[in-house]
Amino acid sequence: MKGLQMLWADAKKARRIKANMWNHNIKFHQLSYREMEHLRQFRRDITKCFFLGIVSIPPFANYLVFLLMYLFPRQLLVKHFWTPKQQTDFLDIYHALRKQSHPEILCYLEKIIPLISDVGLQWHMTELCTKIQRGTHPAIHDILALRECFSNHPLGMNQLPAFQMKALSRAMLLTPYLPSLLLRHRLKAHTTVIHQLDKALAKLGIGQLTAQEVKSACYLRGLNSTHIAEERCRTWLGEWLQISCSLKEAELSLLLHNVVLLSTNYIGTRR
């Protein structure tokens, strides 16, 4: 019952935000950080609920739905209906699933090094991959030095091959089972939203976020924050924002790969 009340409260808040956008001709990227994040999360939650609604349409199917929700709470229920222990356990499971794609993503970055025309950028990419393989957390300048590689061939958003987009989709907890055209569109849209959130968060200031907001923000960006101290999460989120807010729209492929590059070896993540 409490879960339904929380979901209904979220729905009413989302409706107020959308009404305000409509009445004042406000675009999504012009909203405050908390408003943007609320709409993003509510869209994901309502998608799950919509699926359950469709399944329960046939007569007596609601009994089957209740059974499925009991058996598969992680897949079918939104977080409002999870217990505190389930929230921790399920977030660990989801992170383990997305972490499976990390080696594949890093392997591709190594393979394309000979395709990088600039010798200096080749050296920087080799150094970055070597650091990550050795378990070292890369510095901000290590990542930003490669922004040119991710703005065009071979790592620009429009040049990524299908298998790399599938791996990146899994790293972002998005379905990889789509045609290449749709995968690319969805990754672009998802990364653009995160970039817009980052700009709004930089304007608000990390210090204004609650502990739960900080951990949620880190988790969305690839860090398993459930077992990391709040201050370390704030430090990591600060590093992410420095990178994100330095990037242009054409360089968002780097932000997408940063989900792996910045999170893999951060303190406390190697579980």
Side-chain angles (χ1 to χ4, degrees):
M1 193 64 183
K2 184 180 178 182
L4 285 173
Q5 292 174 343
M6 293 169 64
L7 186 60
W8 180 245
D10 281 354
K12 290 195 293 184
K13 182 176 180 180
R15 184 180 178 184
R16 286 197 301 269
I17 296 172
K18 294 293 288 185
N20 187 53
M21 291 173 67
W22 178 265
N23 293 332
H24 297 91
N25 195 27
I26 299 173
K27 304 297 183 183
F28 178 79
H29 69 273
Q30 296 173 313
L31 294 172
S32 69
Y33 171 76
R34 288 191 172 96
E35 289 174 331
M36 292 170 67
E37 175 57 22
H38 185 84
L39 286 184
R40 185 203 66 82
Q41 185 59 53
F42 182 72
R43 286 169 185 164
R44 291 180 67 90
D45 290 344
I46 207 65
T47 300
K48 270 191 176 183
C49 296
F50 181 74
F51 171 76
L52 283 178
I54 294 296
V55 174
S56 62
I57 288 176
F60 306 107
N62 54 321
Y63 296 109
L64 175 61
V65 169
F66 284 124
L67 177 62
L68 290 174
M69 288 191 298
Y70 178 76
L71 295 175
F72 306 103
R74 176 173 64 86
Q75 294 88 342
L76 298 179
L77 295 179
V78 295
K79 62 182 181 180
H80 304 76
F81 300 94
W82 295 348
T83 65
K85 184 179 185 305
Q86 283 178 326
Q87 288 195 30
T88 301
D89 292 344
F90 292 168
L91 290 177
D92 282 342
I93 291 172
Y94 278 127
H95 184 71
L97 290 173
R98 65 183 178 184
K99 196 173 181 180
Q100 290 175 3
S101 66
H102 289 191
E104 185 179 346
I105 293 169
L106 293 171
C107 181
Y108 179 70
L109 293 182
E110 281 188 297
K111 286 182 178 178
I112 57 86
I113 290 175
L115 301 179
I116 300 174
S117 57
D118 187 278
V119 177
L121 292 177
Q122 283 188 3
W123 182 85
H124 278 298
M125 182 66 80
T126 303
E127 283 292 297
L128 179 62
C129 291
T130 301
K131 277 187 176 182
I132 294 176
Q133 287 177 342
R134 290 177 177 173
T136 302
H137 179 64
I140 295 171
H141 62 80
D142 292 331
I143 296 174
L144 285 178
L146 292 164
R147 57 199 299 175
E148 186 179 335
C149 297
F150 291 86
S151 62
N152 45 49
H153 183 77
L155 291 169
M157 195 73 83
N158 292 326
Q159 285 77 38
L160 294 175
F163 63 85
Q164 183 74 344
M165 289 192 293
K166 289 180 184 292
L168 288 166
S169 294
R170 293 196 298 272
M172 298 294 285
L173 294 177
L174 301 172
T175 179
Y177 306 111
L178 292 172
S180 296
L181 189 64
L182 292 179
L183 277 177
R184 197 181 311 278
H185 174 76
R186 192 175 190 193
L187 284 173
K188 281 183 179 179
H190 194 74
T191 310
T192 298
V193 167
I194 291 179
H195 194 223
Q196 292 169 343
L197 280 167
D198 290 340
K199 290 181 178 180
L201 178 53
K203 185 177 181 180
L204 174 67
I206 297 175
Q208 299 299 313
L209 299 184
T210 65
Q212 184 55 49
E213 286 175 325
V214 168
K215 286 181 174 284
S216 296
C218 289
Y219 195 90
L220 171 66
R221 293 158 177 79
L223 184 71
N224 187 11
S225 52
T226 53
H227 305 285
I228 301 178
E230 178 190 341
E231 284 308 309
R232 292 201 179 277
C233 287
R234 290 184 185 274
T235 300
W236 185 89
L237 189 56
E239 293 179 7
W240 174 282
L241 289 184
Q242 285 186 57
I243 294 171
S244 179
C245 294
S246 301
L247 299 178
K248 301 174 183 177
E249 185 178 349
E251 300 165 337
L252 288 187
S253 178
L254 177 54
L255 190 65
L256 180 57
H257 284 79
N258 203 40
V259 169
V260 177
L261 299 175
L262 198 65
S263 69
T264 300
N265 295 323
Y266 193 63
I267 298 170
T269 61
R270 283 161 282 180
R271 290 178 58 83

